[in-house]
C-alpha cells in the first residue's frame, strides 16, 4: 500500500465530481472525456467505438484532443498529442497507435490507453500553473501566472502558500499570496477554484496534484487541460466510495505480467505480504526474499555488483504466509525462470532478514513442494540455488531444503545468521569465495559474542557516482538548508512500563520473556486494553511462573489504575489507530512514548498525529514499525524476534552501538550485524517505512549523540523522503561528532528506466534528491561513513569499532553469563525437543494445515468431488468415502426424518421454549432431549433386534413369539396413526430406494416378514419409518463393500442410527423455532380445559 499515480481521466473525473459540490452553480467544471482502451479493437467487447460515441454524443460536433493516458510526461514534445481534431480524425490517430510500442525519453512501452476530451481554444495569457504537494508538516500550493509546456523551473518561479497541518485557508489568503500577477477581474473566481481544489485535495487524500496548464477563458470558465495526480491508496477505507473504481496503472514502459496480477490477487486475500515486480523476464538473477526492507537490500546488492541488467525481479513474501501461499509464490517464480534459457545458467537467491515470528521451516515446506514440481526444469535450465535465512525454526528450515536438494539432485547451498544478510549475493554471482555451509545442528546462541564476519572476498563493488544534475529537484521539496524542527525522541529504561493496546498475547509474552532474561524486577507490561470484551485477566509466563495481567475495555480506565505507565504500544489496526492514538493524547502528561505498529495508515492521518504529538511533547515511533529495543532494559512488541535471536544478538545486555532504521525487518539484521562486528547494541529503533514517520532519524541520532554510553551510531535509510538530509546538516554543522555509519537502501532504483515501488509505503523517490544514490553520496560528502554497498557495511562497522577499542574510546566489559531462555512447550514440541501424551485424539479432521481436511481429504477436494452432505457425513462419521448410493440414502434419511409436524414431543418442546423467549440453541436442545425409546430413539434398538434375530436364523414368527414371551415391545413396529390401509409414505420411499440400490436386503426382508405377522393381529402394527430406516441401513453397511461385517455391526453399536435421526430432526426443530419467531408468538400457556385437575382426598376425609 502506498501513494500511487492515477490516470488523467480518473483524476479529472474525481475533480469534476467533488469540485462541483463546492463551487457555485455558474462555476461548475465541464470535464467531459472518454477513456479508450484496447477493447475498441474487439467488435464483440463492451467498449467499442460505437458504444463510446453513443455514451458521449458531444463527440459528433465537438473538436477534440487525443493523447495517451499512461503516466507519460511531456507527451507533446514526444509527438503524442492530437489537437483540434474531429472525432473521426482522433479515432484514426488512436487506432494507428493503439497497442504499438513507442519510445519516450529512452523508455519503451506499449500504448494501450488514450484520453479524448474537448479541444479548448485559448491564448497563452489564459494559461496558469497550479500544484499542491504534501510535506511532513504542511501542504504547499504552488502557483505561477504563466503555465504550459514551456513554464520552465517552477521551483524557482512559482509562488507558494504553505498550509500547516490541520489549518484552513481563505480565498483572501489565496488572492493575496498567489494571485498578485493575475488580472484583478479574474482573481475572485480563480481563488474560489483554488480553495475548492485544495479542499478536494485534502478530502480525497491526494498526495500530489499538478495542473499545467490551468486555463481560464474570457468568459470566466476554468478548464484543467493537463493533470498529473497521486493518491494515497491507504485511505481507501476512508474515501474509497468517493473515489469509485480508480485505476492505478503501472509506470509507462512496464506492462503488468499475468504472474504479477496473480500475486497481487493473492496479496489482496491474505494477511501476509506478497509482492512481485518483473523487471526482466529474460534476466539471469532471480530473488525470492522474505521482508520488505530485505528485498530491497538484495536487489541493491545485485545491482551494486554490476548485475542490474540481469536482475529479473523484485518482490517479497513476508508476514507469515501459509505453506500453500509459499508454494504458489515459489511456483510462480520458478515458472518465470524456466520460460527462457540463459547460456550461463541462472541463479535463484532465496533470502531474507531474521524473521520476528514467521516459522521459516513452515514457509520452506511450500518452497520445497515447488522445487519438487520443477525438478526437471531446474536442472535443464542450470539453475543454482542459494539460500540465506534466519529466524524462528530456521535451522530446521535449512535442514529441510538442503535435504530436498540432495534428494532431488539440485545444487542448493544454505546459510543462516552466521553470515550477514547479503553475503550470499557475491558468492552466487561468482565474485567471492564460497564460504563453508554452517553446522545446522550447532547451538546458534553460542555465537552471541562472536564478532568479525569474514569478508566475502576481495572483489569490491563499483562506487556509485552521482551527477550534479541528480541534485535537481523534479518535484518540490523542503529538503536541505536549515535543520528542521525536531520531534521528541523516546526515552526507555529498565523501569519503563507500558500498556499494550490490542489482544496481542504473543507480543506481550515476548516482551515479558525479554524482561525476565534481562533480570528486570517487574514486567514492563502493566496492562492490556481490548475494547471488545469486558474487563478480565489474561495469564502469562514470568520465567517459569505464571502471572495475571489485567485487561480493560478503555484506555482511560487502564490509565486510572496504572498511573506509572509512560509508553503505549498501540497494535490497533490501520482503521482505528488514528482514533486510539488521539485518545491516548488525553493522557500526554503520563504517556510520553507511543509506538504505532499498524501498516497502511493514511499519510494525512499520520501528519495530524505528528502535529498533535509534537505539540504535546509525546514521542511517536511508527506507523508501520516493529518498534524498538533498549538492550537489557525494554523491548517494544516483537522487536528483536524470538528469544533465541535476542540471545544470539546479545540484546540482554547493552553494547556501545545505537542504530535507527526505516525497516523493522532489517532492524533484526542490524542487531545481528552489530553483535558480530562490535560489542553489541545499546539501543535500536525502527522508525517505520512510511513517508512521514512519527519520529525521524535526526530525533534519535541527536539523543544518541548526547548519551555517553553510546560510542557508534548506525543509520539505515532508504529511497524516498528527505529525512536523511537533516542528519547531513547536523553532521556538517558539528552537532553530530560520534562515528556515524550509514547506508540508504534502494540504490538499484537508478538502474531502472521506470518508477518502481519498493516494499515500504515511503520507499519511492519524488525527485532525484530522494534517490538512495543521491542520499548516500551526500552523506559521504558530509563525512558520514558510507560503504560502497550494504554488503560492506559490517566490515566498515567492525573497522570503526576495532579502532575505537585500540584507542581506548571503547572499553570492553566482561561478557555476562548468557541467560537461560525459557521455552514454551508448544514451540519446544514443534522443534522436537519434548513430547507428552495427547489429551485428545482425533482421526476424522485436521485443521492444522493450510487447508481443513476431512478424513485426510482437503475441503476443496470434498467440494469439487461433489460428495454432498451424505458423502461428507461418511467421511466424518464412518471414515470412508462411501459409494454414491450410500451417500444418497443418508441424504434421503435426513430428508424423511427432518420433521413430522408440531404435535410430536420434540417439536412441541422446541415451540414452547421458543415462545418463552429463549435462544435457538436452548430451544433446539429442549426438543432434542425428548428423543429416546418412546420418540425417535428406536432406530438403533430396531436395527439391533432385527439384525440379531436374522443372523441367528430365527423366522419372523419365532421372533415375534419370543418378544411376546419376554413381554418386550418390538422396536420399529407400530404407529399411532398409520396402518395397513393408511401406509406411511416415508416407509414406502425408504423401501423403494433399498430395493433399487442395495445388493442385499436380508434384514429389510426379515423386518417385512415381522410386519406381516404383527399387522395380522392389529392393522397399525406396521413397520414404521424408524424400523424401515434401521433395517435398510444395516443392509447398506453390510452390502456396500466399504465395511467388514464386524465394522458394520460396531457402527450400529455406536448409535450412529440415532445420530441420523437427531441430525435430520434438528432441521425441523430449527424450522419450528424460526417459524415461531417469524410469527412473533407470545409465551405459551397450556389451556385449563386440556388439563384434568384431580383433587386427592385424605383417607380420613
Amino acid at each position: 500500500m502506498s501513494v500511487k499515480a492515477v490516470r488523467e481521466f480518473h483524476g479529472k473525473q474525481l475533480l469534476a465530481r467533488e469540485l462541483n459540490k463546492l463551487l457555485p452553480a455558474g462555476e461548475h467544471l465541464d470535464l467531459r472525456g472518454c477513456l479508450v482502451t484496447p477493447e475498441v479493437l474487439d467488435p464483440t467487447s463492451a467498449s467499442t467505438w460505437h458504444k463510446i460515441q453513443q455514451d458521449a454524443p458531444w463527440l459528433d460536433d465537438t473538436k477534440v484532443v487525443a493523447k495517451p493516458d499512461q503516466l507519460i510526461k511531456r507527451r507533446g514534445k514526444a509527438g503524442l498529442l492530437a489537437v483540434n481534431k474531429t472525432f473521426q480524425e482522433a479515432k484514426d490517430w488512436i487506432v494507428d497507435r493503439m497497442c504499438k510500442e513507442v519510445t519516450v525519453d529512452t523508455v519503451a512501452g506499449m500504448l494501450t490507453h488514450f484520453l479524448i476530451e474537448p479541444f479548448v481554444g485559448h491564448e497563452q495569457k489564459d494559461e496558469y500553473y497550479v500544484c499542491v504537494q504534501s510535506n511532513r508538516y504542511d501542504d504547499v500550493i504552488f502557483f505561477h501566472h504563466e503555465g504550459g509546456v514551456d513554464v520552465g523551473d517552477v521551483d524557482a518561479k512559482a509562488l507558494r502558500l504553505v498550509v500547516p497541518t490541520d489549518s484552513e485557508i481563505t480565498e483572501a489568503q489565496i488572492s493575496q499570496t498567489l494571485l498578485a500577477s493575475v488580472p484583478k477581474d479574474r482573481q475572485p473566481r480563480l481563488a474560489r477554484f483554488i480553495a475548492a481544489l485544495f479542499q478536494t485535495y485534502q478530502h480525497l487524500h491526494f498526495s500530489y496534484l499538478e495542473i499545467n496548464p490551468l486555463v481560464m477563458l474570457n468568459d470566466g470558465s476554468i478548464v484543467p487541460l493537463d493533470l498529473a495526480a497521486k493518491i494515497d491508496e491507504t485511505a481507501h477505507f476512508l474515501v474509497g466510495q468517493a473515489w469509485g473504481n480508480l485505476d492505478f496503472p503501472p509506470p509507462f514502459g512496464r506492462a503488468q505480467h499475468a504472474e504479477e496480477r496473480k500475486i497481487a490477487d493473492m496479496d489482496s486475500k491474505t494477511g501476509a505480504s506478497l509482492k512481485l515486480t518483473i523487471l526482466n523476464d529474460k534476466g539471469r538473477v532471480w530473488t525470492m526474499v522474505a521482508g520488505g526492507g530485505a528485498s530491497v537490500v538484495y536487489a541493491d546488492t545485485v545491482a551494486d555488483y554490476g548485475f542490474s541488467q540481469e536482475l529479473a525481479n523484485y518482490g517479497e513474501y513476508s508476514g507469515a504466509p501459509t505453506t500453500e501461499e509459499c508454494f504458489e509464490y515459489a511456483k510462480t517464480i520458478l515458472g518465470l525462470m524456466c520460460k527462457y534459457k540463459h547460456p550461463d545458467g541462472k541463479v535463484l537467491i532465496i533470502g531474507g532478514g531474521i524473521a520476528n515470528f514467521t516459522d521459516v521451516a513452515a514457509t520452506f515446506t511450500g518452497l520445497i513442494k515447488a522445487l519438487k514440481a520443477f525438478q526437471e526444469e531446474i536442472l535443464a535450465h542450470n539453475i543454482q540455488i542459494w539460500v540465506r535465512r534466519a529466524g524462528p525454526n530456521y535451522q530446521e528450515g535449512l535442514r529441510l531444503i538442503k535435504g530436498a536438494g540432495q534428494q532431488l539432485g539440485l545444487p542448493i547451498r544454505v546459510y543462516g545468521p552466521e553470515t550477514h544478510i547479503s553475503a550470499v549475493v557475491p558468492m552466487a554471482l561468482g565474485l567471492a569465495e564460497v564460504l563453508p555451509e554452517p553446522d545446522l545442528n550447532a547451538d546458534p546462541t553460542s555465537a552471541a559474542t562472536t564478532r568479525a564476519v569474514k569478508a566475502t572476498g576481495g572483489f569490491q563493488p563499483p562506487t556509485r557516482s552521482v551527477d550534479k544534475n541528480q541534485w535537481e529537484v523534479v518535484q518540490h521539496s523542503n529538503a536541505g538548508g536549515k535543520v528542521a524542527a525536531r520531534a521528541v525522541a523516546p526515552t526507555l529504561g529498565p523501569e519503563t512500563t507500558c500498556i499494550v493496546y490490542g489482544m496481542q498475547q504473543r507480543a506481550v509474552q515476548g516482551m515479558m520473556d525479554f524482561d525476565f532474561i534481562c533480570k528486570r524486577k517487574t514486567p514492563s507490561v502493566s496492562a492490556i486494553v481490548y475494547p471488545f470484551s469486558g474487563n478480565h485477566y489474561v495469564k502469562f509466563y514470568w520465567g517459569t511462573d505464571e502471572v495475571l495481567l489485567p485487561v480493560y475495555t478503555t484506555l482511560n480506565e487502564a490509565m486510572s489504575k496504572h498511573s506509572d505507565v509512560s509508553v503505549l504500544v498501540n497494535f490497533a489496526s490501520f482503521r482505528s489507530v488514528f482514533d486510539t492514538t488521539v485518545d491516548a493524547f488525553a493522557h500526554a502528561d503520563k504517556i510520553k512514548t507511543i509506538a504505532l505498529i499498524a501498516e497502511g495508515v493514511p499519510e494525512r492521518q499520520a501528519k495530524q498525529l505528528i502535529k498533535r504529538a509534537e505539540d504535546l511533547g509525546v514521542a511517536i515511533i511508527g506507523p508501520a514499525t516493529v518498534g524498538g529495543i533498549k538492550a537489557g532494559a525494554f523491548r517494544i512488541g516483537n522487536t528483536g524476534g524470538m528469544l533465541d535471536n535476542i540471545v544470539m544478538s546479545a540484546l540482554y545486555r547493552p553494547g556501545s552501538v545505537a542504530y535507527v532504521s526505516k525497516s523493522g525487518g532489517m532492524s533484526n539484521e542490524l542487531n545481528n550485524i552489530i553483535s558480530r562486528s562490535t560489542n553489541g547494541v545499546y539501543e535500536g529503533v525502527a522508525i517505520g517505512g512510511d513517508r512521514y514517520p512519527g519520529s525521524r532519524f535526526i530525533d534519535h541520532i541527536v539523543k544518541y549523540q548526547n548519551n555517553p554510553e553510546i560510542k557508534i551510531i548506525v543509520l539505515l535509510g532508504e529511497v524516498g523522503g528527505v529525512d536523511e538530509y537533516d542528519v547531513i546538516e547536523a553532521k556538517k554543522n558539528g552537532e553530530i561528532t560520534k562515528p556515524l555509519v550509514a547506508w540508504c537502501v534502494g540504490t538499484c532504483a537508478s538502474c531502472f528506466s521506470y518508477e518502481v515501488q519498493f516494499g515500504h509505503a515511503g520507499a519511492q523517490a519524488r525527485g532525484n534528491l530522494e534517490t538512495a544514490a543521491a542520499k548516500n553520496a551526500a552523506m559521504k560528502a558530509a563525512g558520514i561513513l558510507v560503504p560502497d554497498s550494504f554488503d560492506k557495511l559490517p566490515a566498515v562497522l567492525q573497522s570503526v569499532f576495532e579502532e575505537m577499542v585500540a584507542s581506548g574510546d571503547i572499553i570492553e566489559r566482561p561478557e555476562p553469563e548468557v541467560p537461560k531462555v525459557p521455552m514454551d512447550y508448544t514451540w519446544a514440541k514443534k522443534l522436537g525437543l519434548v513430547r507428552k501424551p495427547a489429551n485428545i485424539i482425533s482421526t476424522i479432521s485436521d485443521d492444522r494445515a493450510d487447508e481443513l481436511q476431512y478424513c485426510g481429504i482437503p475441503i476443496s477436494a470434498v467440494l469439487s468431488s461433489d460428495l454432498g452432505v451424505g458423502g461428507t457425513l461418511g467421511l466424518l462419521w464412518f471414515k470412508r468415502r462411501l459409494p454414491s448410493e450410500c451417500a444418497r440414502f443418508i441424504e434421503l434419511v435426513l430428508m424423511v426424518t427432518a420433521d413430522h409436524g408440531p404435535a410430536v414431543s420434540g417439536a412441541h418442546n422446541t415451540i414452547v421454549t421458543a415462545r418463552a423467549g429463549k435462544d435457538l440453541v436452548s430451544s433446539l436442545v429442549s426438543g432434542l432431549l425428548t428423543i429416546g425409546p418412546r420418540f425417535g430413539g428406536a432406530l438403533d434398538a430396531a436395527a439391533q433386534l432385527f439384525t440379531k434375530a436374522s443372523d441367528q436364523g430365527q423366522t419372523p414368527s419365532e421372533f415375534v413369539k419370543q418378544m411376546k414371551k419376554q413381554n418386550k415391545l418390538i422396536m420399529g413396529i407400530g404407529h399411532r396413526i398409520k396402518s395397513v390401509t393408511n401406509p406411511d409414505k416415508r416407509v414406502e420411499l425408504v423401501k423403494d430406494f433399498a430395493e433399487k440400490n442395495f445388493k442385499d436386503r436380508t434384514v429389510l426382508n426379515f423386518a417385512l416378514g415381522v410386519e406381516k405377522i404383527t399387522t395380522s393381529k392389529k392393522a397399525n402394527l406396521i413397520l414404521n419409518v424408524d424400523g424401515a430406516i434401521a433395517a435398510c441401513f444395516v443392509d447398506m453397511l453390510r452390502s456396500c463393500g466399504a465395511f467388514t461385517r464386524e465394522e458394520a455391526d460396531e457402527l450400529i453399536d455406536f448409535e450412529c442410527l440415532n445420530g441420523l435421526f437427531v441430525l435430520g430432526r434438528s432441521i425441523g426443530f430449527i424450522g419450528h423455532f424460526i417459524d415461531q419467531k417469524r410469527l412473533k408468538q407470545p409465551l405459551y400457556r397450556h389451556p385449563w380445559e386440556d388439563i384434568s385437575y384431580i383433587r386427592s382426598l385424605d383417607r380420613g376425609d
Side-chain angles (χ1 to χ4, degrees), residues 440-461:
L440 297 176
N441 295 310
D443 178 6
T445 63
S446 64
T449 58
T450 301
R451 298 196 295 271
V453 180
K454 291 183 179 179
T456 56
F459 183 87
Q460 296 294 322

Side-chain angles (χ1 to χ4, degrees), residues 791-807:
D791 191 47
K792 299 301 178 186
L793 188 144
V796 172
L797 183 59
Q798 182 179 330
S799 174
V800 172
F801 174 78
E802 290 176 350
E803 286 179 11
M804 296 189 75
V805 171
S807 65

Side-chain angles (χ1 to χ4, degrees), residues 858-932:
I859 187 66
S860 58
V862 172
L863 296 175
S864 63
S865 301
D866 199 22
L867 293 179
V869 174
T872 304
L873 187 145
L875 294 175
L876 293 174
W877 286 21
F878 311 132
K879 296 180 62 177
R880 296 287 193 282
R881 185 161 183 166
L882 298 177
S884 61
E885 66 272 12
C886 299
R888 285 187 288 118
F889 179 71
I890 290 172
E891 292 173 1
L892 171 65
V893 170
L894 295 177
M895 287 188 281
V896 300
T897 60
D899 195 48
H900 202 217
V904 297
S905 60
H908 180 80
N909 262 25
T910 301
I911 290 169
V912 170
T913 309
R915 290 177 61 170
K918 299 291 284 184
D919 60 276
L920 184 146
V921 174
S922 300
S923 303
L924 173 62
V925 169
S926 71
L928 292 176
L929 288 175
T930 66
I931 296 175

Side-chain angles (χ1 to χ4, degrees), residues 220 295 494 496 609 673 976 1028 1050 1072:
S295 61
T496 302
L609 292 178
I673 289 172
R976 292 190 62 183
E1050 191 177 55
H1072 285 296

Side-chain angles (χ1 to χ4, degrees), residues 827-835:
W827 185 246
K829 185 178 180 183
K830 192 166 190 176
L831 296 179
L833 301 178
V834 296
R835 64 186 182 189

Side-chain angles (χ1 to χ4, degrees), residues 1055-1077:
E1055 300 186 59
C1056 62
L1057 268 167
N1058 278 353
L1060 278 177
F1061 182 83
V1062 168
L1063 183 59
R1065 192 51 58 94
S1066 293
I1067 299 171
F1069 290 170
I1070 293 172
H1072 285 296
F1073 171 85
I1074 294 172
D1075 191 43
Q1076 296 303 304
K1077 294 294 184 182

